[in-house]
Amino acid sequence: MLRQENVLLKRALRTASSFANIVGRSRVMQALFDLIETVAPPTATILVTGESGTGKELVARAIHVNSLRRDHPSWRSNCGALPETLLESELFGHMRGAFTGAATTKKG
């Protein structure tokens, strides 16, 4: 019984903490929580967009915590703070010689 209780408590703790920093109980927020739970398990790359101050990083963190990759590092970036060419290179990589300063091939 102790083992079963331990498993149930760990499961409840993981579920409770996965949205711990996101506040809201409205239908829209419940729909967001449902969407996070839907998109998190697949291993696809996810781009979270939205207005400044809307909690995009909190959503990204919740997706990661609910994903199968939760034990691995996640990568988040403020795309608005990066010049367009650097962002393109970081996301998609580049071939050696593709532009001035591209001395090596870089995987995105």
Side-chain angles (χ1 to χ4, degrees), residues 84-101:
E84 183 178 337
T85 53
L86 178 59
L87 176 63
E88 183 177 328
S89 176
E90 286 298 314
L91 292 178
F92 304 110
H94 61 261
M95 299 296 291
R96 178 176 174 258
F99 54 86
T100 304

Side-chain angles (χ1 to χ4, degrees), residues 6-21 37 61-68 70-71:
N6 188 4
V7 169
L8 292 173
L9 287 173
K10 282 183 180 180
R11 188 178 302 151
L13 181 61
R14 187 177 17 197
T15 302
S17 65
S18 63
F19 300 114
N21 295 323
E37 288 176 338
R61 196 169 285 140
I63 290 170
H64 180 70
V65 168
N66 284 284
S67 76
L68 299 175
R70 68 182 141 262
D71 296 326

Side-chain angles (χ1 to χ4, degrees), residues 28-72:
V28 174
M29 292 305 293
Q30 291 303 314
L32 175 63
F33 297 149
D34 291 343
L35 181 61
I36 290 170
E37 288 176 338
T38 300
V39 301
T43 57
T45 300
I46 299 170
L47 175 64
V48 180
T49 63
E51 297 294 321
S52 178
T54 56
K56 295 177 295 293
E57 188 165 340
L58 295 174
V59 169
R61 196 169 285 140
I63 290 170
H64 180 70
V65 168
N66 284 284
S67 76
L68 299 175
R69 301 184 219 176
R70 68 182 141 262
D71 296 326
H72 301 282

